[in-house]
Amino acid sequence: MTDQDRRRFLASLAASGIAAIGVGCGWDGGKRFAPKLMSWSRVNDWVSARLFSGSRLAREYPIARRTQGAEFPAYFVSDNMPTLADPGAWRLQVGGLVRKPAVLTLDRLQSLPRLSYTVKHHCVEGWTAIATWAGVPFRVVAEMVEPLPAARYVKFTSFDAGYSNGWDLPSALHPQTILAYAYNDRPLMPDHGAPLRLYSPTKLGYKNTKYLLGVEFTDTRPGGYWEDQGYPWYGGL
Ligand SMILES: Nc1nc2c(c(=O)[nH]1)N[C@H]1C(S)=C(S)[C@@H](COP(=O)(O)O)O[C@H]1N2
Ligand SMILES: [Mo]
């Protein structure tokens, strides 16, 4: 190829719009543009995870500030409110990358250390509400099943039409992350996720899986019902 041929060749590439790829210049055209290809929710997740401190606690409120009765909305994706035909047969399955998988009854969960707090709930649909939640800290259950070193995420599944959430392990082990069985000093009812729901005042409402069925420790990042539709995966406050 003469110099003139080469110039003509490059000019034709430019005309076709791909000259910037620079044939033979050693650049694969990929890495430099990768950040632009990241969705904004992924960027948001990246920032959130780095601002998050494992011990920063969410603000608590006096009981007098609780949202009155039915004014705390109740969400579920099923056509009808999910309920169990036989609540006595319900068990929480805890497994995945753990040394000691466990199948826990509600009695067993209620016999474990209990944490209660009055906090504000934030739904991305634009409402907030305050309630008292009580349950067992997730870290207590995690210590019981002994996650393997490879475990980095937790998948929470429910019996509400496939609703699920994926959490990073540090968020799940945050001291205020609980498996809640009580709402405003009473047993959790089907409207708020009976018999057991995930709760954390450091996460947006949609991360708090209601109607829990299973907890699975994983080494790959689990998706989730809203997360898979573009909501930030981290969903922190
Ligand atoms: N199983 C299940 N969990 C769920 C939801 C749901 O539809 N199904 N909705 C989420 C959303 S968007 C919010 S704001 C809270 C609402 O909790 P509440 O119904 O107790 O107010 O639950 C979250 N967890
Ligand atoms: Mo929500």
Side-chain angles (χ1 to χ4, degrees):
M1 208 187 253
T2 65
D3 272 1
Q4 206 184 349
D5 285 337
R6 186 182 298 275
R7 244 177 276 124
R8 225 177 273 136
F9 176 58
L10 289 174
S12 74
L13 281 179
S16 68
I18 56 171
I21 290 172
V23 177
C25 80
W27 179 50
D28 66 5
K31 291 208 179 73
R32 193 190 296 198
F33 283 159
K36 288 187 185 164
L37 298 175
M38 270 170 104
S39 73
W40 279 109
S41 81
R42 290 299 292 271
V43 172
N44 181 47
D45 285 338
W46 189 91
V47 172
S48 302
R50 278 150 191 83
L51 289 176
F52 184 79
S53 148
S55 57
R56 198 195 77 212
L57 297 180
R59 174 177 170 193
E60 295 188 41
Y61 292 79
I63 282 174
R65 294 279 312 275
R66 277 179 191 168
T67 300
Q68 290 308 302
E71 283 170 38
F72 199 126
Y75 275 77
F76 41 84
V77 295
S78 299
D79 291 340
N80 300 300
M81 191 182 299
T83 53
L84 294 168
D86 180 6
W90 178 89
R91 301 284 185 274
L92 183 70
Q93 308 280 340
V94 189
L97 298 174
V98 299
R99 236 178 293 275
K100 300 176 177 170
V103 179
L104 305 171
T105 62
L106 196 56
D107 278 354
R108 179 80 203 284
L109 288 157
Q110 289 174 341
S111 74
L112 297 170
R114 176 189 176 97
L115 176 66
S116 172
Y117 45 60
T118 302
V119 293
K120 188 181 275 186
H121 183 102
H122 300 256
C123 174
V124 290
E125 288 199 311
W127 56 271
T128 62
I130 295 173
T132 305
W133 304 92
V136 52
F138 182 77
R139 48 165 71 182
V140 170
V141 173
E143 278 163 20
M144 201 162 96
V145 299
E146 298 180 19
L148 297 169
R152 289 183 57 208
Y153 303 95
V154 189
K155 180 176 185 173
F156 295 94
T157 55
S158 78
F159 55 89
D160 176 17
Y163 196 98
S164 71
N165 292 104
W167 283 51
D168 63 286
L169 198 52
S171 292
L173 298 177
H174 181 278
Q176 288 176 314
T177 302
I178 65 174
L179 300 178
Y181 45 71
Y183 168 82
N184 288 347
D185 309 324
R186 297 212 179 85
L188 193 66
M189 292 303 194
D191 54 350
H192 293 303
L196 192 74
R197 77 171 302 166
L198 178 61
Y199 205 85
S200 167
T202 72
K203 292 289 186 187
L204 288 165
Y206 65 85
K207 294 299 292 186
N208 298 314
T209 326
K210 300 165 69 175
Y211 314 107
L212 278 179
L213 261 191
V215 174
E216 189 191 352
F217 291 78
T218 66
D219 55 0
T220 52
R221 200 178 84 148
Y225 186 87
W226 290 115
E227 294 89 326
D228 294 348
Q229 298 178 54
Y231 283 64
W233 183 85
Y234 195 78
L237 281 167

